[in-house]
Amino acid sequence: MARLPKLLLAATVLVAAVLLSHGTAGASPNGSCVVIDTDVDIDDMMSIPMVVGSRHVAAVVTTEGFTLPGPGASAVSRLLAEPEQRTIPVVVGAGPGRSEAEVAATFGDFVPVFRELMSRLNNFFPTALPPTAPAGDFVHRVLDAIDGCQQVDVLVIGPLTSFVGYSPALRSKIGRVVVQGRSPVGDTELEAVESFNCGFDRSACETAFHQQLSGLNPSFVDVPHTECDLTPNKAGCVGTVYGPTLAMAEALGPAGLPYTLKQIMLNHPQSWALDTWERSGYGGRSLFWDQSAALALIDPTAFRTVGGHLETVLTPADFQRRWVELTNLSATYA
């Protein structure tokens, strides 16, 4: 019995050491945090590690879009489940509740196909992960996650449904808001996949743009488009298109999150790689949509203003190298 206090003391010291080394969910060394709002498409999976390796991510919110919030949360939780790294809260967010039939009729039947694909982490698993059940009000969960943050930047790489729910509660702490896609004003000619985030929940997009983003100086981010966007492997087009390549995935590191992402990407490159464009089937025509928004959050100097949005000033090759560098930093979480 005389040894019990010493054991309790040792356990207390051990727990304290773990908390100090891994931190609490919302704590940040400099008080600056990021909330990532995602609909968990393949380009989202390539973007989240970029931010995790460079900034303190206080929470990831999953919103209905290319995936549903529950399956999306399970996919992100598995993506970020790296040993010896702190746990990043993944919050099941909101959505307009559009039916599969309506989504397919509006955006194409590749969206339901991709939902199934992403629920398996781009075919990383043979069957879909069980969806994460909502754990109380998602606004309160986001507020709990950022409790230790003095300033919060928000990266929106999915529809804005969840954002319009939690944005008012976070407003006093919000620093920057970076949104993938263009302003909902004046871009009606964009293809559906390029305007997907606003088009999926137009009401939420307009609420965010006309009401909640006012005074926050948001940044809308798109990729530079060229006449080669639909023919990246055509003679004269190789290396000119802003999209991901097999060489990028192969350059990721051998451990931690970079290695996990590498396996996810190489397991099914038909969903994203420029190299497989002509035989990609559904959804393989992926450009640096969300990756551009993530880079604009991390390094605004790599962008210029074009009309009402930002586009990178990097060449495609330089962007690809920058992506590898930033993603490899996610071997450890800040």
Side-chain angles (χ1 to χ4, degrees):
M1 294 298 293
R3 298 177 58 194
L4 183 58
K6 293 183 179 180
L7 291 173
L8 289 174
L9 177 60
T12 301
V13 171
L14 178 61
V15 170
V18 170
L19 289 175
L20 286 172
S21 62
H22 295 285
T24 58
S28 171
N30 61 6
S32 177
C33 303
V34 175
V35 169
I36 302 175
D37 197 324
T38 173
D39 64 343
V40 201
D41 193 5
I42 186 63
D43 56 334
D44 303 61
M45 292 186 191
M46 293 187 222
S47 303
I48 292 170
M50 294 172 65
V51 186
V52 168
S54 303
R55 297 285 306 275
H56 181 91
V57 176
V60 177
V61 181
T62 57
T63 297
E64 180 183 341
F66 263 96
T67 59
L68 296 171
S74 297
V76 173
S77 295
R78 176 58 189 88
L79 174 67
L80 298 176
E82 294 296 332
E84 305 302 322
Q85 303 302 322
R86 70 179 181 88
T87 299
I88 299 176
V90 178
V91 179
V92 179
R98 300 183 68 163
S99 69
E100 294 281 348
E102 180 192 1
V103 170
T106 304
F107 300 101
D109 57 358
F110 74 91
V111 177
V113 170
F114 248 57
R115 284 185 172 180
E116 180 61 26
L117 182 65
M118 294 306 121
S119 71
R120 300 192 302 272
L121 234 63
N122 196 44
N123 269 349
F124 190 61
F125 295 111
T127 59
L129 293 167
T132 302
D137 179 71
F138 75 92
V139 175
H140 287 127
R141 289 207 62 204
V142 174
L143 286 174
D144 288 343
I146 66 162
D147 183 58
C149 307
Q150 296 179 17
Q151 177 178 300
V152 180
D153 294 337
V154 183
L155 175 65
V156 183
I157 51 176
L160 288 103
T161 319
S162 299
F163 178 83
V164 299
Y166 61 71
S167 170
L170 271 62
R171 190 176 181 91
S172 64
K173 287 189 174 185
I174 290 179
R176 299 177 60 209
V177 180
V178 179
V179 182
Q180 191 284 316
R182 302 189 187 185
S183 158
V185 176
D187 284 300
T188 56
E189 298 303 316
L190 288 177
E191 293 183 25
V193 72
E194 294 174 330
S195 58
F196 181 84
N197 290 346
C198 270
F200 190 85
D201 190 347
R202 190 77 179 189
S203 176
C205 189
E206 291 178 351
T207 296
F209 184 79
H210 294 297
Q211 300 176 31
Q212 297 181 0
L213 292 175
S214 177
L216 292 177
N217 192 28
S219 298
F220 292 87
V221 186
D222 197 8
V223 295
H225 292 284
T226 76
E227 61 183 11
C228 289
D229 282 0
L230 298 178
T231 57
N233 297 307
K234 181 181 177 181
C237 289
V238 176
T240 67
V241 176
Y242 286 84
T245 64
L246 288 169
M248 288 170 45
E250 290 164 351
L252 293 178
L257 180 52
Y259 184 73
T260 297
L261 180 61
K262 179 178 183 177
Q263 304 313 307
I264 290 170
M265 292 172 66
L266 292 180
N267 188 67
H268 189 64
Q270 290 84 357
S271 66
W272 59 270
L274 290 181
D275 314 68
T276 66
W277 193 279
E278 289 80 7
R279 58 184 185 277
S280 63
Y282 285 113
R285 296 179 176 181
S286 174
L287 299 179
F288 283 140
W289 292 302
D290 292 345
Q291 299 93 325
S292 292
L295 183 58
L297 175 73
I298 297 165
D299 183 11
T301 65
F303 289 79
R304 65 187 179 100
T305 300
V306 179
H309 67 278
L310 300 179
E311 293 182 5
T312 185
V313 298
L314 301 178
T315 66
D318 286 340
F319 195 111
Q320 290 157 3
R321 283 191 288 270
R322 189 79 173 112
W323 178 86
V324 172
E325 293 170 357
L326 290 169
T327 303
N328 277 336
L329 290 178
S330 67
T332 58
Y333 301 177

